[in-house]
Amino acid sequence: MKPLAIRHLLLLTGLVLSNVLCGQHALNIIREEVKIPMRDGVNLGAILYRPEEAGKYPTLVYRTPYGVDAYDATAQIPIKAARRGYLVILVDVRGRLRSEGEFEAYRNEKQDGYDVIEWAARHPQSSGRVGTYGGSYPGIVQWLAMSQSPPHLMAAAPEMTPVGSHHFMYFGGAFSHLWIDWFVPYILPDKRKRAQDPTGAWDEELASQIWMASDRKPWYDYRPMHDMPLLKTYAPEYYDWLSHPDSGPWWDFLNVEHDFEKFQNPTFLLSGWYDAAYGPEGATRGFGKMKEHAATAQARDQTKLILGPWNHTSLNSRKTRFGEVDFGTNAGLDYDRELLNWFDEILKGETGKSQLPPVSIFVMGENKWRAESEWPLKRAVATSFYLHAGAPDKKGGGDLSPALPGREKPDGYLFDPDFPVWDKSFEKSYPYDQRAIESRKDVLVYTSPVLDQPLEVTGEIVVELYVSSTARDTDFSFTLCDVYPDGTSINLHGLDAGHLRMRYRKGMERQELMQPGEVYKVTIGQAYTSNLFKAGHRIRLNITSSMAPHYDPNPNTGNQIATEAELVPARNSVYHDRARPSRVLLPVVPR
């Protein structure tokens, strides 16, 4: 080879090596602030992460009312995903922080969700394949967007969130008081800031500190509820919810339960046994509906369900203790890894990347994960444990056993809505010793004999009660507990689950008051768990008529609750005899 040719070859080789050594790197990502236009001209503020390298990438969307800046300051998944080859778009929903428009909780999330997803798909670096993720409010907005059938949505991961609207606000027909604890610290500060209103904190963290340090009980106790002044200026939707206690078309803005037949993308569903009551109800109901009704085979086959020992939005790979129970090393979850592996499979086509089975459940007591192919478990046997009166000399309440009751007198108590049962874990449900609650005179306690063999209960807990009241309307609530050999009684689900307002005993669509003294058979469910009762433990069922401050204590008058100022006591009775065999149905898994 001639010297000149050799020189040109060396120069060319050097250029190639220089480009390789000094070029772009997969670890380099770019962070941008963008505006996303909605169909009505409102612009939503967003943060965009993308790989520095040129190319087309699948895109992930996270929409939140809690501020993308606060999320971006701590969340690792946007950076992990961008370095893994994704565009990640973090969006403040309409009327919140970076975004224009007026915020009304959940009201605009269907159409805005569609517009954001389709904008993301049109981004110059997007492959056109979009996935969504997030929990709680950022979870339900994904279901709402799915209901609009955005053509480029290929995967969604709604975590710890409902699929329906009415049981979000009125679980078992009782209104959720804790919306006060949502609006005041999280929504009102930015509303005041936009209005230049100096009467309260504009900073969410400061507002939260002030609220948490305050005496909130007077607001929970305020009657009539519809006149409570706290949210009148900046959260009028709260009073709209109070004005629509029945399930019906008015709630369609927040409901997707009739839309599953058009859902084409698979979903990644997650909740915890101690999540807010709508969480496991939403995850399991959503899973069942996706498996049965989704429009495509992929949506049916690649939907996943994970149910762990967590409470609301509190999970990571290191957190294993919740309340008074440490569930061991297995209880932690690397959510980011599992979710991104699933997205890799759906959005990138990397077959077999996700190793998760269709259903993953954490069995408490045993403290192990187990792979399942279905939910509910077909092999679980609905096993009746009947309520019985305790022996005359027995302290601590009645008995719980598989034997049918005979001739037994009913148990009763006086329920005074001025002194309701109070759940100390109301801010974030967790397992704790229930004996203080069980010692109350308005709580009925039924306990099984000591188990000589382990017994696994996995699924929905359903209680059938024969009840009467001196009132035209009242509530009944249950809690399932695992009683340890030392007497500790640990709840196996959040105390806000398993609740029924009697006027809704025939369904949430209409109210029907009771006839005082008449006996009614009612079914109460929507409480989920998986627990191995060890040998030497006992099963316990608690029955009462209130669970504050989760729900407004029933005034017992039978009048419209939102406008009722009067509270009256009611004497409530639970029957357990041969003709009226009250029982709890436990889904027992054979071992």
Side-chain angles (χ1 to χ4, degrees), residues 39 63 109-119 121 128 130 132 141-156 262-265:
R39 65 189 69 180
R63 295 193 293 136
E109 305 305 352
K110 287 186 175 182
Q111 62 270 25
D112 284 358
Y114 179 100
D115 292 352
V116 168
I117 288 166
E118 292 306 298
W119 181 91
V130 179
T132 59
V141 298
Q142 297 174 68
W143 286 120
L144 297 176
M146 283 174 62
S147 73
Q148 305 303 293
S149 301
H152 292 91
L153 180 64
M154 304 296 167
K262 61 185 179 183
F263 289 169
Q264 301 190 41
N265 59 273

Side-chain angles (χ1 to χ4, degrees), residues 175-178 180-181 184 211 215-232 238-239 242 417-420 422 501 548-549 551-555 560-567:
F175 186 70
S176 176
H177 253 335
L178 298 186
I180 302 173
D181 290 292
V184 173
W211 177 246
D215 180 12
R216 290 169 276 172
K217 194 171 184 301
W219 298 117
Y220 302 140
D221 293 343
Y222 200 97
R223 297 285 181 164
M225 295 165 61
H226 205 279
D227 290 347
M228 186 195 66
L230 190 61
L231 303 177
K232 287 287 187 180
Y238 176 84
Y239 303 93
L242 280 172
D418 276 321
F419 300 99
W422 189 271
R501 182 144 290 173
Y551 307 115
D552 61 297
N554 198 315
Q560 288 301 313
I561 290 175
T563 55
E564 179 60 277
E566 183 183 10
L567 305 179

Side-chain angles (χ1 to χ4, degrees), residues 467-536:
V467 298
S468 68
S469 177
T470 58
R472 296 193 301 155
D473 185 39
T474 193
D475 291 4
F476 286 95
S477 179
F478 75 82
T479 304
L480 184 71
C481 298
D482 186 343
V483 182
Y484 291 46
D486 66 359
T488 302
S489 179
I490 297 294
N491 53 300
L492 297 177
H493 52 81
L495 270 63
D496 56 336
H499 199 95
L500 176 66
R501 182 144 290 173
M502 286 295 290
R503 67 176 70 196
Y504 291 108
R505 64 192 179 277
K506 293 186 177 180
M508 301 298 148
E509 294 77 20
R510 65 186 181 91
Q511 303 176 33
E512 185 175 313
L513 297 178
M514 307 166 68
Q515 290 294 326
E518 185 172 333
V519 179
Y520 298 92
K521 180 183 178 181
V522 295
T523 300
I524 312 174
Q526 298 181 315
Y528 300 84
T529 196
S530 180
N531 185 70
L532 182 68
F533 291 86
K534 296 179 180 178

Side-chain angles (χ1 to χ4, degrees), residues 66 103 290 355 458 485 516 544:
Y66 304 118
F103 177 78
M290 288 295 296
Q355 298 301 308
T458 295
T544 189

Side-chain angles (χ1 to χ4, degrees), residues 49 59 87 145 173 180 210 216 235 250 295 319 367 511 529:
Y49 281 97
T59 304
L87 271 65
I180 302 173
I210 293 171
R216 290 169 276 172
W250 187 87
K319 187 170 178 60
N367 292 347
Q511 303 176 33
T529 196

Side-chain angles (χ1 to χ4, degrees), residues 119-132:
W119 181 91
R122 293 192 301 270
H123 189 279
Q125 278 192 269
S126 176
S127 67
R129 299 180 65 81
V130 179
T132 59

